Amino acid sequence: AQSVTQLDSHVSVSEGTPVLLRCNYSSSYSPSLFWYVQHPNKGLQLLLKYTSAATLVKGINGFEAEFKKSETSFHLTKPSAHMSDAAEYFCVVTSSGGYQKVTFGIGTKLQVIP
Amino acid sequence: NAGVMQNPRHLVRRRGQEARLRCSPMKGHSHVYWYRQLPEEGLKFMVYLQKENIIDESGMPKERFSAEFPKEGPSILRIQQVVRGDSAAYFCASSPQQDSLYEQYFGPGTRLTVT
């Protein structure tokens, strides 16, 4: 069994300040973890992924995430928020127990205040 | 390399009609997933298909919903006798292999409105 918990449904930051979107997971198998972003009325775009290589993963648009096995966390961060970062972010876990079972978090809406 | 294509992008149906949603995976991808996103909710897995096979349909409602991925042509998600509660965004994703290392590539979605 696997699950994903995104701890905040809404996060609001000022432009130029750091972003932290939290994600905790549970998985019976070695997981792969992903962050996707969805802009309003758009499809999902992959930001970054962890697949058991380096624990600090760098993605597009200045985002990065750190896989912490002891804390079962995969929090998404960015040093300085930009207005264009306003979107919904989904943390995703997949595991290869049989086949690629995919579980999405409920999403975190990021608001960036000018 | 074109991305995952979905059509139509917007679909309006009256209650009781049928809705057909199409998904063309990325070139070289033989695995297709369908998800439903209700307002203010995350994506819910519906069904996972490979060419000519349904691998996992555990997320699909037992009645009125069906999916296929034929040898030739796009994957089809079919909803018969639609009801207002079917109004949602339906996303298709594809991946090249059955392996958790491979991320899924998402299409732009089909927004279904049932009136």
Coordinates of all heavy atoms in Angstrom, one line a residue, chain B residues 15 19 21 24 37 47 49-50 57 66 73 83-84 86 94 103 106 113:
Chain B
R15 N -27.6 15.3 -20.0 CA -27.7 14.1 -19.2 C -28.3 13.0 -20.1 O -29.3 13.2 -20.9 CB -28.7 14.3 -18.0 CG -28.0 15.0 -16.8 CD -29.0 15.2 -15.7 NE -30.1 16.1 -16.1 CZ -31.1 16.4 -15.4 NH1 -31.3 15.8 -14.3 NH2 -32.0 17.3 -15.8
A19 N -20.5 10.1 -23.8 CA -19.2 11.0 -24.0 C -18.1 10.0 -24.3 O -17.9 9.0 -23.7 CB -18.9 11.7 -22.7
L21 N -14.0 10.2 -25.0 CA -12.8 11.0 -24.8 C -11.6 10.2 -25.4 O -11.5 9.0 -25.2 CB -12.5 11.3 -23.3 CG -13.5 12.2 -22.6 CD1 -14.9 11.8 -22.5 CD2 -12.9 12.5 -21.2
S24 N -4.2 10.2 -27.5 CA -3.1 9.6 -28.3 C -1.9 9.8 -27.5 O -1.4 10.9 -27.2 CB -3.0 10.4 -29.6 OG -4.2 10.2 -30.4
Q37 N -10.3 14.5 -12.5 CA -10.1 15.5 -11.5 C -11.4 16.3 -11.3 O -11.8 17.0 -12.2 CB -9.0 16.5 -12.0 CG -8.6 17.6 -11.0 CD -7.5 18.5 -11.5 OE1 -7.4 18.8 -12.7 NE2 -6.6 18.9 -10.6
V47 N -8.0 4.1 -14.6 CA -7.7 2.9 -15.4 C -6.3 3.0 -16.0 O -5.8 4.1 -16.3 CB -8.8 2.6 -16.4 CG1 -8.8 3.7 -17.5 CG2 -8.6 1.3 -17.1
L49 N -4.0 1.0 -19.0 CA -4.1 0.1 -20.1 C -2.8 0.0 -20.9 O -2.0 1.0 -20.9 CB -5.1 0.7 -21.1 CG -6.5 1.1 -20.6 CD1 -6.6 2.6 -20.6 CD2 -7.6 0.5 -21.5
Q50 N -2.6 -1.1 -21.4 CA -1.5 -1.3 -22.4 C -2.3 -1.6 -23.7 O -3.5 -1.8 -23.7 CB -0.6 -2.4 -22.1 CG 0.3 -2.1 -20.8 CD 1.2 -3.3 -20.5 OE1 1.5 -4.1 -21.3 NE2 1.5 -3.3 -19.2
E57 N -8.3 -1.6 -13.6 CA -9.4 -0.7 -13.8 C -10.1 -0.4 -12.4 O -11.3 -0.2 -12.3 CB -10.4 -1.2 -14.8 CG -10.9 -2.6 -14.5 CD -11.9 -3.1 -15.6 OE1 -12.3 -2.3 -16.4 OE2 -12.2 -4.3 -15.6
S66 N -16.2 2.8 -19.5 CA -15.4 1.8 -20.1 C -14.2 2.4 -20.8 O -14.2 3.6 -21.1 CB -16.2 0.9 -21.1 OG -16.6 1.7 -22.1
G73 N -4.7 3.2 -33.2 CA -5.6 4.3 -32.9 C -5.4 4.7 -31.4 O -4.7 4.1 -30.6
V83 N -24.2 11.7 -16.3 CA -25.0 12.4 -15.3 C -24.2 13.6 -14.9 O -23.0 13.7 -15.2 CB -25.2 11.5 -14.0 CG1 -26.1 10.3 -14.4 CG2 -23.9 11.1 -13.4
R84 N -24.8 14.5 -14.1 CA -24.1 15.8 -13.8 C -22.9 15.5 -13.0 O -21.9 16.3 -13.1 CB -25.1 16.7 -12.9 CG -26.2 17.3 -13.8 CD -26.3 18.8 -13.6 NE -27.2 19.4 -14.5 CZ -28.5 19.6 -14.2 NH1 -29.0 19.4 -13.0 NH2 -29.3 20.2 -15.1
D86 N -20.7 13.5 -13.5 CA -19.5 13.1 -14.3 C -18.8 14.3 -14.8 O -17.7 14.2 -15.4 CB -20.0 12.3 -15.6 CG -20.7 11.0 -15.2 OD1 -20.3 10.4 -14.2 OD2 -21.6 10.6 -16.0
S94 N 0.7 9.0 -20.5 CA 1.4 7.9 -21.1 C 2.8 7.7 -20.6 O 3.4 8.7 -20.1 CB 1.4 7.9 -22.6 OG 2.3 8.9 -23.1
E103 N 8.5 8.7 -15.6 CA 7.4 9.6 -15.2 C 6.3 9.5 -16.3 O 6.6 9.0 -17.4 CB 7.8 11.0 -15.1 CG 8.2 11.7 -16.4 CD 9.7 11.6 -16.7 OE1 10.3 10.7 -16.1 OE2 10.2 12.5 -17.5
F106 N 1.6 13.9 -19.3 CA 0.2 14.2 -19.3 C -0.3 15.0 -20.5 O 0.4 15.8 -21.0 CB -0.2 15.0 -18.0 CG -0.3 14.1 -16.8 CD1 0.8 13.8 -16.1 CD2 -1.5 13.6 -16.4 CE1 0.8 12.9 -15.0 CE2 -1.6 12.8 -15.2 CZ -0.5 12.5 -14.6
T113 N -18.5 18.8 -19.4 CA -19.6 19.4 -18.7 C -20.9 18.7 -19.1 O -21.2 18.6 -20.3 CB -19.7 20.9 -19.1 OG1 -18.5 21.6 -18.8 CG2 -20.8 21.6 -18.3

